[in-house]
């Protein structure tokens, strides 16, 4: 139990303590924070009050504009700090002293500005949902040969654009680019995308550096993963379809990628482990993992407009991902590619086995051929100006709930 009165259905329970960065106001310095209920927990203020004294951290260590240096402390320290936060906010001796100074380190979340929590040097987007890959392959290729021959052997991915990753709440501009009406009769025109889409994804944050030439074994990959975020990899499908001949995504993806303001540490998600989907044919030895390496995290995508709010579009789950995070990171470094703290590795669209759980409008409207009816009587095949997409994710089991908050973007 916590001495702080929080709702039981909050994403930010005492079992969570995600990491983020906030500013009290426009003129304040950024600082690393956590969350509990509807409150932002100022770690810099707690440090000044002496609650982290035994960790021997420099003064004002938490007064930073990203959590990268915090991640670099290593899991032994960051996990100990997380347990300290649980101790501070649980009923007991330390809590009695903390509650007296609550006005110094607790701020209503609605009263502060949440910032991009990471300094992201590199960003990779995988293609790890078999259901999503099958749906896309069925639309644009032979449905009987929806998956390309390599898909069941390799965690497919592409290197994205880290500079266009933005924090939840940042507006999305409609991108310009080349597109064609029919690929068989290519007469490209240039203009605003008519097929802007969302992608329901998560991403993991790299927690340790490697050197060029160094590889990470799949069995040890969890040591290099700090936490997870929600991610919306906005897509301009008409631009993407034309430019992906023959290479992969480029301008159709690089205009915006939204992540949640909170990074949930992997230890908070540990109670929600589940077995990964069975992989057939068997993967190559360097991709083999033992134990439960997937997570039961429910994901939802909702749509709001000027005339309706929070219309549920999709309900999916991270447990459907064919390739788990350990396999993704092992494959990413198998050629000696180095990774750095703060690098972001996205899952790719996570679609459920049934249409109610498809993770993009491309699938939900089946490439525009099946318009979706909205609460106000309008229809959608892709996003329209003024539409707001809200992604949410949480895990819950035996009274323990851990969530990510929201990942929100409004298309202008």
């Amino acid at each position: 139990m916590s001495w702080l009165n929080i709702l039981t259905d909050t994403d930010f329970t005492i079992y969570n303590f995600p990491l983020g960065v906030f500013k009290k106001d426009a003129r304040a310095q950024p600082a690393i924070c956590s969350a509990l209920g509807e409150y932002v927990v100022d770690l810099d203020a707690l440090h000044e009050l002496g609650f982290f004294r035994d960790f021997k951290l420099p003064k004002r260590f938490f007064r930073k504009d990203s959590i990268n240096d915090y991640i670099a402390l290593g899991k032994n320290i960051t996990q100990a700090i997380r347990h300290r936060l649980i101790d501070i906010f649980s009923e007991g001796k330390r809590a009695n002293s903390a509650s007296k100074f609550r006005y110094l380190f607790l701020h209503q979340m609605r009263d502060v500005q949440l910032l991009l929590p990471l300094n992201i040097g590199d960003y990779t987007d995988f293609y790890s949902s078999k259901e999503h890959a099958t749906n896309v392959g069925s639309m644009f290729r032979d449905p009987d040969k929806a998956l390309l021959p390599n898909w069941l052997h390799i965690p497919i991915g592409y290197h994205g654009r880290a500079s266009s990753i933005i924090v939840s709440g940042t507006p999305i501009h409609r991108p310009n680019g080349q597109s064609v009406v029919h690929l068989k009769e290519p007469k490209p025109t240039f203009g605003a995308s008519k097929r802007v889409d969302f992608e329901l994804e998560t991403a993991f944050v790299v927690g340790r550096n490697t050197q060029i030439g160094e590889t990470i074994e799949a069995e040890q990959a969890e040591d290099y993963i700090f936490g997870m975020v929600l991610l919306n990899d906005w897509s301009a499908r008409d631009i993407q379809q034309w430019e992906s001949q023959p290479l992969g995504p480029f301008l159709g993806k690089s205009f915006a990628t939204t992540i949640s303001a909170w990074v949930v540490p992997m230890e908070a998600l540990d109670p929600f482990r589940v077995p990964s989907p069975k992989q057939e044919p068997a993967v190559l030895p360097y991709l083999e993992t033992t134990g439960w390496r997937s997570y039961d995290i429910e994901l939802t995508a909702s749509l709001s407009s000027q005339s309706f709010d929070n219309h549920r579009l999709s309900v999916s789950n991270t447990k459907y991902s064919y390739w788990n995070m350990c396999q993704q990171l092992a494959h990413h470094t198998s050629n000696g590619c180095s990774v750095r703290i703060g690098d972001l590795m996205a899952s790719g669209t996570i679609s459920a086995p049934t249409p109610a759980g498809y993770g993009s409008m491309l699938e939900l409207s089946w490439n525009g051929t099946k318009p979706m009816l909205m609460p106000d009587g309008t229809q959608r095949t892709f996003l329209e100006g003024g539409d707001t997409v809200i992604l949410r994710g949480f895990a819950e089991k035996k009274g323990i709930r851990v969530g990510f908050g929201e990942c929100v973007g409004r298309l202008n």
Side-chain angles (χ1 to χ4, degrees):
M1 298 293 293
S2 174
W3 54 264
L4 188 64
N5 186 25
I6 58 175
L7 298 175
T8 56
D9 62 349
T10 179
D11 280 353
F12 308 121
T13 64
I14 201 163
Y15 303 103
N16 193 347
F17 285 109
L19 278 300
V21 176
F22 85 112
K23 290 176 70 171
K24 295 178 184 177
D25 54 57
R27 294 173 296 177
Q29 284 187 296
I32 298 175
C33 62
S34 188
L36 185 60
E38 298 303 313
Y39 294 93
V40 164
V41 182
D42 186 343
L43 300 191
D44 181 56
L46 281 174
H47 188 32
E48 287 192 0
L49 289 167
F51 286 96
F52 304 137
R53 184 180 294 113
D54 50 321
F55 295 111
K56 302 187 185 307
L57 300 173
K59 188 177 181 180
R60 297 181 177 176
F61 172 81
F62 294 98
R63 203 168 294 184
K64 300 181 186 298
D65 61 3
S66 80
I67 68 170
N68 288 45
D69 287 347
Y70 177 82
I71 296 173
L73 293 173
K75 285 195 174 186
N76 287 340
I77 300 298
T78 59
Q79 289 180 10
I81 291 175
R82 177 173 172 271
H83 286 289
R84 176 64 50 81
L85 288 170
I86 294 172
D87 192 26
I88 289 170
F89 286 97
S90 299
E91 295 176 348
K93 183 177 179 181
R94 185 173 275 119
N96 291 334
S97 60
S99 61
K100 298 175 184 177
F101 299 100
R102 58 183 293 171
Y103 66 95
L104 294 175
F105 57 80
L106 286 178
H107 310 281
Q108 286 283 345
M109 204 173 292
R110 64 174 180 265
D111 295 334
V112 304
Q113 179 184 3
L114 295 174
L115 308 177
L116 188 70
L118 297 158
N119 179 8
I120 303 166
D122 280 300
Y123 160 54
T124 298
D125 193 20
F126 284 97
Y127 194 39
S128 55
S129 166
K130 186 177 182 181
E131 289 78 10
H132 175 65
T134 300
N135 288 339
V136 173
S138 297
M139 283 180 223
F140 297 109
R141 292 189 297 274
D142 183 350
D144 294 328
K145 298 179 180 179
L147 293 179
L148 292 172
N150 62 355
W151 199 94
L152 295 172
H153 298 275
I154 302 174
I156 299 294
Y158 74 93
H159 294 281
R161 184 70 184 175
S163 65
S164 56
I165 297 177
I166 52 181
V167 72
S168 175
T170 306
I172 308 300
H173 69 275
R174 185 179 292 272
N176 292 317
Q178 283 194 28
S179 62
V180 298
V181 176
H182 301 291
L183 288 176
K184 294 181 179 180
E185 299 178 9
K187 297 180 180 180
T189 60
F190 183 85
S193 170
K194 298 180 177 64
R195 293 192 162 198
V196 176
D197 198 358
F198 73 90
E199 293 194 347
L200 181 58
E201 304 191 28
T202 62
F204 68 84
V205 179
V206 172
R208 290 172 59 182
N209 296 329
T210 65
Q211 301 299 316
I212 288 183
E214 185 179 351
T215 60
I216 298 173
E217 298 296 324
E219 277 292 285
Q220 283 73 49
E222 288 185 1
D223 295 338
Y224 293 80
I225 300 174
F226 174 77
M228 292 176 65
V229 297
L230 296 178
L231 184 142
N232 185 347
D233 188 30
W234 301 89
S235 302
R237 299 299 187 185
D238 41 4
I239 297 172
Q240 180 186 358
Q241 184 179 13
W242 172 232
E243 71 183 4
S244 297
Q245 308 289 325
L247 296 181
F250 186 36
L251 301 185
K253 297 277 193 177
S254 63
F255 62 97
T257 300
T258 303
I259 66 170
S260 55
W262 299 106
V263 181
V264 176
M266 295 311 301
E267 54 267 23
L269 296 168
D270 202 57
F272 311 104
R273 288 177 181 265
V274 291
S276 300
K278 186 176 182 180
Q279 295 181 317
E280 292 180 335
V283 299
L284 293 174
Y286 79 99
L287 292 172
E288 292 177 351
T289 56
T290 58
W292 291 5
R293 300 302 180 106
S294 296
Y295 296 84
D296 183 2
I297 304 170
E298 182 176 297
L299 304 173
T300 64
S302 300
L303 186 67
S304 293
S305 75
Q306 294 179 347
S307 55
F308 60 85
D309 289 320
N310 281 301
H311 174 61
R312 182 70 59 83
L313 296 175
S314 176
V315 181
S316 189
N317 197 296
T318 56
K319 67 184 179 182
Y320 298 129
S321 291
Y322 186 85
W323 297 102
N324 64 53
M325 292 181 287
C326 294
Q327 292 174 319
Q328 291 167 353
L329 188 55
H331 182 68
H332 200 303
T333 63
S334 62
N335 69 342
C337 172
S338 59
V339 295
R340 293 171 291 187
I341 290 171
D343 284 359
L344 206 61
M345 309 280 182
S347 60
T349 303
I350 301 176
S351 291
T354 61
Y358 290 171
S360 66
M361 297 190 81
L362 176 68
E363 296 165 272
L364 290 166
S365 73
W366 208 253
N367 196 26
T369 63
K370 298 178 180 180
M372 295 172 286
L373 183 64
M374 297 293 114
D376 62 350
T378 61
Q379 294 182 330
R380 295 287 191 284
T381 52
F382 293 93
L383 296 172
E384 297 184 359
D387 283 350
T388 298
V389 177
I390 308 103
L391 307 186
R392 299 180 178 92
F394 73 93
E396 192 166 19
K397 180 181 180 182
K398 296 181 179 179
I400 298 175
R401 182 182 172 106
V402 171
F404 294 81
E406 295 183 339
C407 180
V408 180
R410 182 182 185 273
L411 179 65
N412 290 332

